[in-house]
Amino acid sequence: MRIIFTDTYKKMSEEAAKIIAGQLWVKPDSVLGLATGSTPVELYQNLVWLYQTVGLDFSQATSFNLDEYVGLTVEDPQSYHHFMYENLFDHVNMRRDHIFFPNGMAEDAEREAEDYEARIAAAGGIDMQLLGIGRNAHIGFNEPGEAFAKATHKVALKESTIEANARFFASAAEVPREAMSMGIGTIFHARHIVLLASGAEKAEAVRDAVEGTITPSVPASILQLHPNVTLIVDHAAGALL
Ligand code: GLP
């Protein structure tokens, strides 16, 4: 694992943008795995800026988002679908038919999960997977548990995740209790994983993920075994490394 230590959230976001832009320069038809949350927001702003100023080209790229809440329509302002359009897709030239999300409204979640895996495989797999990390070291919505989930699946969110994500909703009661998420196996198959962490509330999760025992109770710890991971931390998130 390569670790890039930066001082601030701003610098972390710039380093991440350089890596993703670099991926697109070298391979314009890259398959990107993208993430939501507050952590990648400024990275996405940087990518939009690079598109506008130097013509960073997304026209051949494809993206698969990590996860989506169950029960929210794509129009719902709290959906990850909405988040991604607002923060990135509405502002760059990525083809709409190259943008994929797990469908949180699917009646048959198992079938949807299989279809999502099949779509990723048909696109040739993920070249670069962007990840944030939850306070309990979840990645995507792979919560701490008994086993690493292999593929895309429906998950029940932990209380701590519901509380952490409540800041995006009017109240914790409005946060969906379930989500569809790529599995740890799906993430692990990406050829390069870029993990971002910012802020003191992530420091323990980062330490446990990078230096702790590899265990499903720390989902991100599996990344220690991946051959090509770049972790970018700001000062506060990297403080315990
Ligand atoms: C959510 C998302 C994750 C994200 C995590 C951290 O639970 N499913 O993909 O990494 O929250 O979010 P934030 O960046 O807002 O701290």
Side-chain angles (χ1 to χ4, degrees), residues 18-42:
K18 275 194 245 174
I19 291 175
I20 295 192
Q23 173 73 31
L24 288 172
W25 295 129
V26 173
K27 188 170 187 276
D29 62 347
S30 289
V31 178
L32 303 175
L34 296 178
T36 51
S38 49
T39 308
V41 168
E42 199 164 316

PDB file of all heavy atoms in Angstrom, residues 18-42:
ATOM      1  N   LYS A  18      -5.276  14.309  -9.115  1.00  0.00           N
ATOM      2  CA  LYS A  18      -4.134  14.040 -10.006  1.00  0.00           C
ATOM      3  C   LYS A  18      -4.118  12.574 -10.419  1.00  0.00           C
ATOM      4  O   LYS A  18      -3.858  12.232 -11.579  1.00  0.00           O
ATOM      5  CB  LYS A  18      -2.816  14.339  -9.273  1.00  0.00           C
ATOM      6  CG  LYS A  18      -2.386  15.772  -9.335  1.00  0.00           C
ATOM      7  CD  LYS A  18      -0.933  15.873  -8.896  1.00  0.00           C
ATOM      8  CE  LYS A  18      -0.835  16.655  -7.617  1.00  0.00           C
ATOM      9  NZ  LYS A  18       0.524  16.670  -7.049  1.00  0.00           N
ATOM     10  N   ILE A  19      -4.397  11.703  -9.460  1.00  0.00           N
ATOM     11  CA  ILE A  19      -4.345  10.262  -9.753  1.00  0.00           C
ATOM     12  C   ILE A  19      -5.478   9.873 -10.715  1.00  0.00           C
ATOM     13  O   ILE A  19      -5.259   9.132 -11.679  1.00  0.00           O
ATOM     14  CB  ILE A  19      -4.413   9.455  -8.434  1.00  0.00           C
ATOM     15  CG1 ILE A  19      -3.115   9.661  -7.663  1.00  0.00           C
ATOM     16  CG2 ILE A  19      -4.639   7.978  -8.721  1.00  0.00           C
ATOM     17  CD1 ILE A  19      -3.098   9.033  -6.293  1.00  0.00           C
ATOM     18  N   ILE A  20      -6.661  10.395 -10.473  1.00  0.00           N
ATOM     19  CA  ILE A  20      -7.787  10.017 -11.348  1.00  0.00           C
ATOM     20  C   ILE A  20      -7.615  10.651 -12.732  1.00  0.00           C
ATOM     21  O   ILE A  20      -7.842  10.005 -13.753  1.00  0.00           O
ATOM     22  CB  ILE A  20      -9.125  10.394 -10.693  1.00  0.00           C
ATOM     23  CG1 ILE A  20      -9.255   9.528  -9.437  1.00  0.00           C
ATOM     24  CG2 ILE A  20     -10.298  10.177 -11.662  1.00  0.00           C
ATOM     25  CD1 ILE A  20     -10.577   9.512  -8.784  1.00  0.00           C
ATOM     26  N   ALA A  21      -7.166  11.904 -12.759  1.00  0.00           N
ATOM     27  CA  ALA A  21      -6.909  12.538 -14.052  1.00  0.00           C
ATOM     28  C   ALA A  21      -5.823  11.763 -14.801  1.00  0.00           C
ATOM     29  O   ALA A  21      -5.932  11.524 -16.009  1.00  0.00           O
ATOM     30  CB  ALA A  21      -6.501  13.991 -13.854  1.00  0.00           C
ATOM     31  N   GLY A  22      -4.799  11.349 -14.085  1.00  0.00           N
ATOM     32  CA  GLY A  22      -3.715  10.570 -14.697  1.00  0.00           C
ATOM     33  C   GLY A  22      -4.241   9.285 -15.314  1.00  0.00           C
ATOM     34  O   GLY A  22      -3.848   8.895 -16.417  1.00  0.00           O
ATOM     35  N   GLN A  23      -5.139   8.634 -14.594  1.00  0.00           N
ATOM     36  CA  GLN A  23      -5.759   7.408 -15.109  1.00  0.00           C
ATOM     37  C   GLN A  23      -6.480   7.677 -16.437  1.00  0.00           C
ATOM     38  O   GLN A  23      -6.353   6.923 -17.397  1.00  0.00           O
ATOM     39  CB  GLN A  23      -6.759   6.882 -14.060  1.00  0.00           C
ATOM     40  CG  GLN A  23      -7.597   5.716 -14.512  1.00  0.00           C
ATOM     41  CD  GLN A  23      -6.827   4.399 -14.590  1.00  0.00           C
ATOM     42  OE1 GLN A  23      -5.887   4.170 -13.826  1.00  0.00           O
ATOM     43  NE2 GLN A  23      -7.195   3.551 -15.531  1.00  0.00           N
ATOM     44  N   LEU A  24      -7.210   8.794 -16.488  1.00  0.00           N
ATOM     45  CA  LEU A  24      -7.979   9.113 -17.706  1.00  0.00           C
ATOM     46  C   LEU A  24      -7.080   9.571 -18.857  1.00  0.00           C
ATOM     47  O   LEU A  24      -7.391   9.324 -20.016  1.00  0.00           O
ATOM     48  CB  LEU A  24      -9.041  10.176 -17.403  1.00  0.00           C
ATOM     49  CG  LEU A  24     -10.230   9.686 -16.575  1.00  0.00           C
ATOM     50  CD1 LEU A  24     -11.116  10.850 -16.162  1.00  0.00           C
ATOM     51  CD2 LEU A  24     -11.051   8.644 -17.348  1.00  0.00           C
ATOM     52  N   TRP A  25      -5.970  10.229 -18.545  1.00  0.00           N
ATOM     53  CA  TRP A  25      -5.042  10.619 -19.629  1.00  0.00           C
ATOM     54  C   TRP A  25      -4.482   9.372 -20.275  1.00  0.00           C
ATOM     55  O   TRP A  25      -4.383   9.243 -21.488  1.00  0.00           O
ATOM     56  CB  TRP A  25      -3.859  11.445 -19.134  1.00  0.00           C
ATOM     57  CG  TRP A  25      -4.111  12.812 -18.559  1.00  0.00           C
ATOM     58  CD1 TRP A  25      -3.631  13.257 -17.350  1.00  0.00           C
ATOM     59  CD2 TRP A  25      -4.851  13.905 -19.125  1.00  0.00           C
ATOM     60  NE1 TRP A  25      -4.063  14.548 -17.142  1.00  0.00           N
ATOM     61  CE2 TRP A  25      -4.800  14.970 -18.199  1.00  0.00           C
ATOM     62  CE3 TRP A  25      -5.568  14.067 -20.306  1.00  0.00           C
ATOM     63  CZ2 TRP A  25      -5.430  16.180 -18.423  1.00  0.00           C
ATOM     64  CZ3 TRP A  25      -6.197  15.284 -20.535  1.00  0.00           C
ATOM     65  CH2 TRP A  25      -6.113  16.319 -19.597  1.00  0.00           C
ATOM     66  N   VAL A  26      -4.052   8.441 -19.418  1.00  0.00           N
ATOM     67  CA  VAL A  26      -3.374   7.236 -19.923  1.00  0.00           C
ATOM     68  C   VAL A  26      -4.366   6.288 -20.590  1.00  0.00           C
ATOM     69  O   VAL A  26      -4.069   5.657 -21.594  1.00  0.00           O
ATOM     70  CB  VAL A  26      -2.642   6.526 -18.751  1.00  0.00           C
ATOM     71  CG1 VAL A  26      -2.083   5.187 -19.189  1.00  0.00           C
ATOM     72  CG2 VAL A  26      -1.523   7.404 -18.224  1.00  0.00           C
ATOM     73  N   LYS A  27      -5.558   6.189 -20.018  1.00  0.00           N
ATOM     74  CA  LYS A  27      -6.561   5.249 -20.549  1.00  0.00           C
ATOM     75  C   LYS A  27      -7.909   5.967 -20.568  1.00  0.00           C
ATOM     76  O   LYS A  27      -8.679   5.877 -19.608  1.00  0.00           O
ATOM     77  CB  LYS A  27      -6.612   3.990 -19.664  1.00  0.00           C
ATOM     78  CG  LYS A  27      -7.476   2.877 -20.214  1.00  0.00           C
ATOM     79  CD  LYS A  27      -7.274   1.575 -19.396  1.00  0.00           C
ATOM     80  CE  LYS A  27      -7.995   0.393 -20.006  1.00  0.00           C
ATOM     81  NZ  LYS A  27      -9.385   0.282 -19.640  1.00  0.00           N
ATOM     82  N   PRO A  28      -8.200   6.683 -21.647  1.00  0.00           N
ATOM     83  CA  PRO A  28      -9.436   7.478 -21.701  1.00  0.00           C
ATOM     84  C   PRO A  28     -10.697   6.636 -21.551  1.00  0.00           C
ATOM     85  O   PRO A  28     -11.720   7.143 -21.093  1.00  0.00           O
ATOM     86  CB  PRO A  28      -9.386   8.122 -23.089  1.00  0.00           C
ATOM     87  CG  PRO A  28      -7.955   8.071 -23.495  1.00  0.00           C
ATOM     88  CD  PRO A  28      -7.369   6.855 -22.847  1.00  0.00           C
ATOM     89  N   ASP A  29     -10.638   5.355 -21.908  1.00  0.00           N
ATOM     90  CA  ASP A  29     -11.833   4.513 -21.760  1.00  0.00           C
ATOM     91  C   ASP A  29     -11.811   3.722 -20.447  1.00  0.00           C
ATOM     92  O   ASP A  29     -12.339   2.617 -20.363  1.00  0.00           O
ATOM     93  CB  ASP A  29     -11.996   3.585 -22.963  1.00  0.00           C
ATOM     94  CG  ASP A  29     -10.824   2.621 -23.110  1.00  0.00           C
ATOM     95  OD1 ASP A  29      -9.787   2.828 -22.439  1.00  0.00           O
ATOM     96  OD2 ASP A  29     -10.935   1.662 -23.899  1.00  0.00           O
ATOM     97  N   SER A  30     -11.230   4.339 -19.428  1.00  0.00           N
ATOM     98  CA  SER A  30     -11.156   3.675 -18.122  1.00  0.00           C
ATOM     99  C   SER A  30     -12.533   3.388 -17.560  1.00  0.00           C
ATOM    100  O   SER A  30     -13.483   4.138 -17.779  1.00  0.00           O
ATOM    101  CB  SER A  30     -10.428   4.578 -17.119  1.00  0.00           C
ATOM    102  OG  SER A  30      -9.063   4.661 -17.420  1.00  0.00           O
ATOM    103  N   VAL A  31     -12.599   2.314 -16.783  1.00  0.00           N
ATOM    104  CA  VAL A  31     -13.793   2.013 -15.995  1.00  0.00           C
ATOM    105  C   VAL A  31     -13.484   2.447 -14.564  1.00  0.00           C
ATOM    106  O   VAL A  31     -12.569   1.918 -13.928  1.00  0.00           O
ATOM    107  CB  VAL A  31     -14.135   0.510 -16.062  1.00  0.00           C
ATOM    108  CG1 VAL A  31     -15.351   0.208 -15.197  1.00  0.00           C
ATOM    109  CG2 VAL A  31     -14.381   0.089 -17.504  1.00  0.00           C
ATOM    110  N   LEU A  32     -14.233   3.446 -14.113  1.00  0.00           N
ATOM    111  CA  LEU A  32     -14.002   3.994 -12.782  1.00  0.00           C
ATOM    112  C   LEU A  32     -15.052   3.455 -11.820  1.00  0.00           C
ATOM    113  O   LEU A  32     -16.228   3.341 -12.178  1.00  0.00           O
ATOM    114  CB  LEU A  32     -14.095   5.526 -12.810  1.00  0.00           C
ATOM    115  CG  LEU A  32     -13.167   6.251 -13.782  1.00  0.00           C
ATOM    116  CD1 LEU A  32     -13.472   7.752 -13.770  1.00  0.00           C
ATOM    117  CD2 LEU A  32     -11.695   6.009 -13.411  1.00  0.00           C
ATOM    118  N   GLY A  33     -14.638   3.164 -10.610  1.00  0.00           N
ATOM    119  CA  GLY A  33     -15.579   2.864  -9.540  1.00  0.00           C
ATOM    120  C   GLY A  33     -15.630   4.101  -8.668  1.00  0.00           C
ATOM    121  O   GLY A  33     -14.597   4.534  -8.151  1.00  0.00           O
ATOM    122  N   LEU A  34     -16.793   4.685  -8.525  1.00  0.00           N
ATOM    123  CA  LEU A  34     -16.849   5.973  -7.818  1.00  0.00           C
ATOM    124  C   LEU A  34     -17.592   5.858  -6.495  1.00  0.00           C
ATOM    125  O   LEU A  34     -18.379   4.946  -6.274  1.00  0.00           O
ATOM    126  CB  LEU A  34     -17.469   7.041  -8.722  1.00  0.00           C
ATOM    127  CG  LEU A  34     -16.623   7.346  -9.968  1.00  0.00           C
ATOM    128  CD1 LEU A  34     -17.309   8.387 -10.850  1.00  0.00           C
ATOM    129  CD2 LEU A  34     -15.209   7.798  -9.599  1.00  0.00           C
ATOM    130  N   ALA A  35     -17.304   6.819  -5.629  1.00  0.00           N
ATOM    131  CA  ALA A  35     -17.807   6.779  -4.254  1.00  0.00           C
ATOM    132  C   ALA A  35     -18.531   8.076  -3.911  1.00  0.00           C
ATOM    133  O   ALA A  35     -18.269   9.123  -4.508  1.00  0.00           O
ATOM    134  CB  ALA A  35     -16.645   6.574  -3.292  1.00  0.00           C
ATOM    135  N   THR A  36     -19.401   7.981  -2.927  1.00  0.00           N
ATOM    136  CA  THR A  36     -20.108   9.172  -2.445  1.00  0.00           C
ATOM    137  C   THR A  36     -19.595   9.518  -1.040  1.00  0.00           C
ATOM    138  O   THR A  36     -18.575   9.010  -0.609  1.00  0.00           O
ATOM    139  CB  THR A  36     -21.617   8.897  -2.409  1.00  0.00           C
ATOM    140  OG1 THR A  36     -21.814   7.682  -1.690  1.00  0.00           O
ATOM    141  CG2 THR A  36     -22.176   8.772  -3.810  1.00  0.00           C
ATOM    142  N   GLY A  37     -20.329  10.373  -0.357  1.00  0.00           N
ATOM    143  CA  GLY A  37     -19.896  10.816   0.974  1.00  0.00           C
ATOM    144  C   GLY A  37     -19.304  12.202   0.870  1.00  0.00           C
ATOM    145  O   GLY A  37     -19.096  12.728  -0.237  1.00  0.00           O
ATOM    146  N   SER A  38     -19.004  12.791   2.009  1.00  0.00           N
ATOM    147  CA  SER A  38     -18.446  14.144   1.962  1.00  0.00           C
ATOM    148  C   SER A  38     -16.973  14.135   1.536  1.00  0.00           C
ATOM    149  O   SER A  38     -16.470  15.111   0.978  1.00  0.00           O
ATOM    150  CB  SER A  38     -18.603  14.836   3.324  1.00  0.00           C
ATOM    151  OG  SER A  38     -18.152  13.980   4.330  1.00  0.00           O
ATOM    152  N   THR A  39     -16.289  13.017   1.765  1.00  0.00           N
ATOM    153  CA  THR A  39     -14.843  12.988   1.484  1.00  0.00           C
ATOM    154  C   THR A  39     -14.490  13.303   0.027  1.00  0.00           C
ATOM    155  O   THR A  39     -13.598  14.123  -0.211  1.00  0.00           O
ATOM    156  CB  THR A  39     -14.255  11.624   1.910  1.00  0.00           C
ATOM    157  OG1 THR A  39     -14.659  11.378   3.259  1.00  0.00           O
ATOM    158  CG2 THR A  39     -12.738  11.612   1.820  1.00  0.00           C
ATOM    159  N   PRO A  40     -15.146  12.710  -0.973  1.00  0.00           N
ATOM    160  CA  PRO A  40     -14.700  12.985  -2.359  1.00  0.00           C
ATOM    161  C   PRO A  40     -15.252  14.263  -2.983  1.00  0.00           C
ATOM    162  O   PRO A  40     -14.976  14.535  -4.153  1.00  0.00           O
ATOM    163  CB  PRO A  40     -15.185  11.753  -3.134  1.00  0.00           C
ATOM    164  CG  PRO A  40     -16.322  11.218  -2.366  1.00  0.00           C
ATOM    165  CD  PRO A  40     -16.162  11.634  -0.936  1.00  0.00           C
ATOM    166  N   VAL A  41     -15.998  15.068  -2.236  1.00  0.00           N
ATOM    167  CA  VAL A  41     -16.668  16.227  -2.852  1.00  0.00           C
ATOM    168  C   VAL A  41     -15.671  17.177  -3.533  1.00  0.00           C
ATOM    169  O   VAL A  41     -15.840  17.575  -4.689  1.00  0.00           O
ATOM    170  CB  VAL A  41     -17.540  16.979  -1.814  1.00  0.00           C
ATOM    171  CG1 VAL A  41     -17.998  18.316  -2.355  1.00  0.00           C
ATOM    172  CG2 VAL A  41     -18.747  16.135  -1.423  1.00  0.00           C
ATOM    173  N   GLU A  42     -14.602  17.512  -2.827  1.00  0.00           N
ATOM    174  CA  GLU A  42     -13.655  18.470  -3.426  1.00  0.00           C
ATOM    175  C   GLU A  42     -12.818  17.828  -4.537  1.00  0.00           C
ATOM    176  O   GLU A  42     -12.433  18.493  -5.501  1.00  0.00           O
ATOM    177  CB  GLU A  42     -12.758  19.088  -2.354  1.00  0.00           C
ATOM    178  CG  GLU A  42     -12.124  20.382  -2.839  1.00  0.00           C
ATOM    179  CD  GLU A  42     -11.550  21.226  -1.718  1.00  0.00           C
ATOM    180  OE1 GLU A  42     -12.212  21.372  -0.667  1.00  0.00           O
ATOM    181  OE2 GLU A  42     -10.431  21.738  -1.899  1.00  0.00           O
TER     182      GLU A  42
END
